Amino acid sequence: MKETIFNLIENESENTKLDFKLEQYPIEKGNIKKGEFLKDMCAFANLISKEDKFIIIGAEEENGIAVSFKSIDNLHDQASYQQFLNQYIEPEINFEYREIIHEGNRLAYFRLFNNNKRPYLFKKEYKDIQPKGNQYKIGSGFVRTGTSTRELKRDDFEKIYTERFSIKDRSDEIEFEITLGGFKFSEIGYTGYIKHLRVDVINLSNSSIDLDVEAKIYNNRGVTALCTQDIEEKYHKDKREKSMFSNTPYLDNMYSCNR
């Protein structure tokens, strides 16, 4: 991803899928520019394209080209942006917010991806407390066109729904098998993890299917869930370390000297 961002900064100009911002979007309460973040993210998400969209922070543009840079002192965390976005816009917009160092400058970027549940609209009215601040009504939405942003029109909705219904629903061609049992390595049961949840995805068709799977596990009474592969890796690592320690030469002498 670093090479992709560098290429955008050095070789691309602002376009439908790329925007440069000098300052980080504020999320502090009462800031007059908070609404710009909602508007821009909504506009990029509503753009009909399977390609990733990027907003690069800390880059000053001139005629759409990044000409200078400003390091970001305090990088906001992605969770704060996600929470603010989810509060006003639905469905949830997929994005990541990451730091990147370019020519000694601490920059950041938003990458919007896999947003195929258009239209993305305001589910709650937003209004800045400032007299000349932003105001967005329930049901309103925006879309990116060229290097600008405008409100969704009827034609946009028609294009969005035409594109959505042109995609074949293949959910009936997939089957899930879920089993709850023991571990492949029985020794792991002694580490405190007692159950192994396995999910098998079965393709019932004669052609390949691309899909993204998201699993949400809710904490209940202190129960912890980890990937089986991570548990097995930790188990074998600890086992190797104990084996190496037990075979260390002069181990008994070391203990006797410390007594």
Side-chain angles (χ1 to χ4, degrees):
M1 186 53 64
K2 182 170 66 174
E3 290 74 16
T4 299
I5 302 300
F6 286 171
N7 180 64
L8 292 173
I9 293 174
E10 297 166 3
N11 301 312
E12 296 284 340
S13 60
E14 286 186 329
N15 54 62
T16 309
K17 306 177 189 69
L18 173 65
D19 195 15
F20 294 122
K21 297 286 185 182
L22 183 60
E23 301 288 343
Q24 187 174 212
Y25 286 106
I27 52 176
E28 299 82 8
K29 184 176 181 180
N31 193 298
I32 192 173
K33 294 185 178 182
K34 283 182 64 176
E36 291 183 11
F37 169 70
L38 299 173
K39 182 179 179 180
D40 287 350
M41 295 294 282
C42 177
F44 272 104
N46 278 322
L47 177 62
I48 301 178
S49 172
K50 294 181 180 180
E51 297 181 39
D52 293 349
K53 294 89 175 177
F54 296 89
I55 303 175
I56 297 176
I57 309 297
E60 184 176 16
E61 61 85 18
E62 187 175 308
N63 296 323
I65 300 173
V67 294
S68 62
F69 306 96
K70 179 181 179 181
S71 289
I72 302 171
D73 294 329
N74 298 306
L75 195 72
H76 296 321
D77 63 277
Q78 178 177 327
S80 298
Y81 279 125
Q82 187 78 69
Q83 183 179 14
F84 179 51
L85 196 61
N86 292 349
Q87 185 179 354
Y88 288 96
I89 295 178
E90 63 179 0
E92 183 173 314
I93 295 176
N94 295 318
F95 74 92
E96 65 173 356
Y97 185 57
R98 296 285 185 270
E99 171 188 337
I100 191 169
I101 305 299
H102 178 263
E103 296 181 353
N105 298 292
R106 187 189 187 199
L107 310 181
Y109 66 89
F110 288 93
R111 179 176 75 95
L112 291 86
F113 58 94
N114 294 341
N115 290 299
N116 52 12
K117 297 180 180 179
R118 308 176 192 88
Y120 294 88
L121 305 172
F122 278 77
K123 64 179 180 180
K124 178 180 176 181
E125 183 180 19
Y126 175 85
K127 185 177 182 180
D128 281 326
I129 61 173
Q130 307 291 344
K132 297 182 180 181
N134 297 291
Q135 182 175 358
Y136 309 120
K137 299 179 180 179
I138 297 175
S140 62
F142 298 87
V143 66
R144 177 93 170 171
T145 56
T147 59
S148 62
T149 296
R150 62 170 175 78
E151 194 164 359
L152 287 171
K153 299 182 296 184
R154 176 172 176 168
D155 288 347
D156 297 309
F157 285 103
E158 290 181 352
K159 290 177 182 178
I160 287 173
Y161 287 116
T162 299
E163 188 266 348
R164 174 188 287 188
F165 294 128
S166 66
I167 300 175
K168 180 182 178 181
D169 182 5
R170 303 187 64 186
S171 59
D172 58 344
E173 299 178 12
I174 298 175
E175 188 174 278
F176 292 89
E177 287 188 358
I178 301 175
T179 56
L180 186 64
F183 289 93
K184 180 178 179 181
F185 299 100
S186 59
E187 294 90 342
I188 295 180
Y190 296 105
T191 63
Y193 295 95
I194 58 176
K195 291 293 183 181
H196 176 222
L197 177 65
R198 174 172 173 169
V199 180
D200 293 306
V201 182
I202 303 171
N203 183 357
L204 303 177
S205 70
N206 295 322
S207 59
S208 62
I209 299 177
D210 294 329
L211 73 160
D212 294 321
V213 178
E214 179 181 342
K216 293 184 179 181
I217 301 175
Y218 297 93
N219 186 10
N220 182 22
R221 299 179 182 177
V223 175
T224 302
L226 292 176
C227 177
T228 302
Q229 183 178 350
D230 294 337
I231 299 174
E232 292 178 352
E233 183 178 341
K234 183 178 184 304
Y235 168 78
H236 290 299
K237 180 181 178 181
D238 293 344
K239 190 175 181 180
R240 287 195 302 270
E241 291 179 351
K242 289 179 181 178
S243 177
M244 292 173 60
F245 187 72
S246 62
N247 295 324
T248 303
Y250 314 115
L251 183 62
D252 293 336
N253 292 336
M254 290 169 59
Y255 280 136
S256 60
C257 290
N258 291 327
R259 287 180 182 145

